[in-house]
């Protein structure tokens, strides 16, 4: 499944991803500046999240709750990891076994730890304002 979109269409794209994803584990493969965090912000909002979404680059993981205070999911940014052991040391396996949504930025840093049932989301920058998004099976 493929979508071409601009930032003003993020609500619609988030809706499409949620309703067409084969998994609650979303792995975002995209270059720097492609809008991964911005898209995750739209996804959390579409799912009823109450939290302010920001990139967890320095903390590695953010937790989000819905409007009732229940767990909505976890947002990971693996950009700064040196190896997969760091992800294991932070308890990635435990997070993956929750019922919440999992949003992974830079999953290419942990190729052997991305679950086989994860929904792969590939984003390409077409130009300054336009992106191409593909929902794929595991890479």
């Amino acid at each position: 499944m493929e979508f071409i979109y601009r930032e003003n269409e993020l609500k619609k794209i988030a809706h499409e991803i949620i309703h067409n994803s084969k998994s609650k584990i979303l792995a975002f493969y995209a270059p720097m500046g492609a809008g991964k965090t911005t898209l995750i912000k739209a996804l959390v909002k579409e799912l009823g999240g109450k939290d302010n979404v920001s990139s967890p680059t320095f903390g590695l993981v953010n937790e989000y709750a819905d409007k009732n205070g229940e767990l909505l999911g976890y947002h990971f940014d693996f950009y700064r990891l040196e190896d997969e052991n760091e992800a294991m040391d932070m308890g990635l396996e435990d997070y993956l076994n929750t019922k919440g949504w999992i949003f992974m930025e830079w999953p290419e840093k942990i190729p052997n730890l991305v679950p086989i049932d994860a929904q792969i989301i590939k984003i390409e920058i077409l130009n300054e304002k336009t992106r191409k998004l593909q929902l794929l099976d595991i890479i």
Side-chain angles (χ1 to χ4, degrees), residues 28 30-32 36 77-79 104-110:
F28 296 83
M32 187 75 74
K36 294 179 290 294
D77 185 333
F78 299 118
Y79 183 74
M104 297 178 159
E105 292 190 46
W106 301 101
E108 54 270 46
K109 294 283 202 159
I110 59 158

Side-chain angles (χ1 to χ4, degrees), residues 28-36 106 108 122-125 131:
F28 296 83
Y29 291 83
M32 187 75 74
K36 294 179 290 294
W106 301 101
E108 54 270 46
K122 184 179 176 190
I123 303 171
E124 293 176 53
I125 299 172
R131 304 294 185 260

Side-chain angles (χ1 to χ4, degrees), residues 62-66 70-75 98-103:
N62 287 343
E63 181 178 316
Y64 303 125
D66 65 18
E70 300 293 320
L71 174 70
L72 178 70
Y74 297 101
H75 178 186
T98 66
K99 294 185 180 183
W101 285 80
I102 304 290
F103 308 102

Side-chain angles (χ1 to χ4, degrees), residues 13-21 26 42-44 46-47 101:
I13 294 301
H15 179 83
E16 290 292 336
I17 291 169
I18 291 164
H19 288 87
N20 290 294
S21 178
L26 307 178
L43 286 161
V44 169
E46 185 70 16
L47 288 164
W101 285 80

